[in-house]
Amino acid sequence: MADARTAPTTMAWPTLRDVLEARRRLHEHLLATALHPAPGLSALVGAEVLVKHENHLPTGSFKVRGGVNLLSQLDPATRGRGVLAASTGNHGQSVAFAAQRFGAPATIFVPEDANPVKVAAIRQMGATVVAAGADFDDARVACEAQAAATGQRYIHSGDEPLLIAGVATHTLELLEQDPAVEVIVVPIGGGSGAAGACLAAKAIDRRIAVIGVQSAAAPAAHRSWLQGTLVEAPMETFAEGLATRTAFALPQGMLRAHLDDFVLVSDDAIRAAMVAMLEHARTLCEAAGAAPLAAALQLRDRLRGRRVALICSGGNVSPGQLRTILDAAG
Ligand SMILES: *Cc1c(COP(=O)(O)O)cnc(C)c1O
C-alpha cells in the first residue's frame, strides 16, 4: 500500500494554466454544457440549486473532456501504436471518442457485466472491446498486462494530469456561467472529476467549497482521503461510475490538499436521487450523476440558502437499470 503523500508522484499536479490550455483544445470538439437553475431541486434541498449538465456531452459523461485533452497531446507514433483503457464504460467512451477524433486505434477493457448501453457506444465509436473479469479492477489488471506486453499507451482513469486538467474545464466553465456559485458538489469514483473541480475552483477563489460524494457501498476513495494513504475497500455499489476498489495517487493528493468535505451516501439514497432528478428537474442521470443530489439532500442543513452547483456527471443509464429503479420507486 502506497502512501498518498509520498506515493511515486513524480507526476506533477496540473495547474490552472493546464486547465486554460485544455479549454482551448476542447473548444473545437465539445460545446460548453448548460448550467441550469433547478427550482424543483432548490425547493427539495432548501438551497439555490443549479445543475451542470455533463450528461449532455457527446458520450453522455464529463470524462470526454479528459480524453480529448489527453489524446490531443499524444505524438503521432504513440497514437499509431494505439491506446488502451480499462473502464466500467464512461472512461472507455471518452477514450474511444477521442481516439476516433485523433486517428488512434483504441482497445477498451470492460468488466463482463458492463452496462450494455456504454459497451455498445464504445463499439460504435470504432474501439475494440475486451470483456475481462468481474469488476473494474479486474478489467484494469488485464488492461495493464496488455500494456506491459505491447507497449501501447495505457490511459489510466485517475493518474493522468491531462485527464484531470481536461475534466477541470467543467468547473471553470460553470464558474464563468455563474460566478456566484458558493458550493460545488461532485461525485467521486477514482477522483479525477473532483480533483479537477478543486483545481479550477480553488485557483479562482479558495472560498468556493468543493464537496465530494461517493457511494457508501464503494468507499475506497473516501477511506483513502480520511486516512491519507491509498487503501482498498469493498466494492458493492450498483452505481458503476463510482465502482472502484482502489484509490489513485494523483487525484488523492489533490483531494487531500483541496477538497472541503467528502460524504458517503447509500445506494438507496442514490436511487431516490435519480428519481428526484427525473421528477423535479426532468433530467435523466445515471446513478453516479445523481449522487451529488443525494449528498445535497443529506447536507440540507449546511447548504440552506446557499448557491449550490450539482455536477450531473453522466446520463448513461440503461433501460433495464431505469426500469428497475422506477419499479422500485412505485
Ligand atoms: C467516472 C464517473 C464518475 C466518477 O469520476 P472519477 O473521476 O472517477 O471520480 C462520476 N460520474 C460518472 C457518470 C462517471 O462516469
Side-chain angles (χ1 to χ4, degrees):
M1 257 179 249
D3 185 309
R5 290 158 299 188
T6 59
T9 320
T10 46
M11 209 172 278
W13 288 13
T15 64
L16 184 63
R17 185 196 304 271
D18 298 312
V19 184
L20 294 171
E21 285 176 353
R23 187 178 45 187
R24 286 175 67 103
R25 294 177 194 131
L26 298 193
H27 189 73
E28 62 179 293
H29 301 283
L30 304 170
L31 295 174
T33 61
L35 177 73
H36 284 314
L41 300 182
S42 298
L44 273 186
V45 177
E48 289 180 60
V49 175
L50 303 109
V51 175
K52 180 64 170 162
H53 281 284
E54 297 293 288
N55 55 325
H56 292 166
L57 281 163
T59 79
S61 95
F62 76 98
K63 288 203 177 71
V64 71
R65 297 174 182 268
V68 170
N69 191 41
L70 190 147
L71 264 288
S72 76
Q73 296 307 294
L74 295 182
D75 62 70
T78 305
R79 283 184 196 161
R81 279 193 299 274
V83 296
L84 305 176
S87 170
T88 60
N90 284 341
H91 175 54
Q93 284 193 74
S94 157
V95 169
F97 177 93
Q100 190 178 45
R101 282 291 164 107
F102 294 100
T107 305
I108 311 298
F109 289 71
V110 300
E112 274 147 15
D113 68 344
N115 177 334
V117 167
K118 294 178 179 177
V119 173
I122 292 168
R123 285 215 175 88
Q124 200 161 43
M125 290 182 280
T128 302
V129 174
V130 178
D135 64 14
F136 164 69
D137 293 283
D138 286 351
R140 181 172 54 77
V141 169
C143 183
E144 287 169 2
Q146 172 156 338
T150 64
Q152 289 168 296
R153 175 66 161 84
Y154 166 53
I155 302 174
H156 194 278
S157 58
D159 290 336
E160 297 279 5
L162 287 168
L163 281 195
I164 293 175
V167 302
T169 59
H170 64 28
T171 294
L172 182 63
E173 205 172 277
L174 91 77
L175 288 168
E176 285 174 332
Q177 291 163 323
D178 186 344
V181 164
E182 298 165 283
V183 182
I184 299 169
V185 189
V186 54
I188 296 185
S192 72
C198 287
L199 167 55
K202 299 298 178 177
I204 289 168
D205 184 344
R206 294 203 56 81
R207 292 166 299 181
I208 299 166
V210 181
I211 299 177
V213 52
Q214 189 164 49
S215 166
H222 183 260
R223 283 189 197 166
S224 300
W225 183 75
L226 285 178
Q227 295 178 24
T229 60
L230 299 180
V231 296
E232 297 200 2
M235 194 294 290
E236 282 145 12
T237 182
F238 82 106
E240 75 258 4
L242 311 179
T244 173
R245 272 189 270 134
T246 59
F248 305 135
L250 177 62
Q252 276 291 324
M254 296 175 69
L255 295 176
R256 289 279 304 167
H258 294 303
L259 190 70
D260 293 278
D261 200 0
F262 195 160
V263 299
L264 294 177
V265 294
S266 69
D267 276 9
D268 280 345
I270 294 177
R271 288 188 189 92
M274 284 176 78
V275 177
M277 290 293 289
L278 266 181
E279 209 172 317
H280 300 286
R282 262 80 62 196
T283 293
L284 185 64
C285 300
E286 61 182 282
L293 176 60
L297 289 167
Q298 189 166 298
L299 298 174
R300 213 185 266 115
D301 290 341
R302 266 172 55 194
L303 298 180
R304 180 151 297 123
R306 304 189 71 191
R307 200 161 180 83
V308 180
L310 307 179
I311 307 278
C312 178
S313 53
N316 294 317
V317 60
S318 74
Q321 290 170 328
L322 190 60
R323 192 174 302 118
T324 307
I325 285 158
L326 290 176
D327 283 349

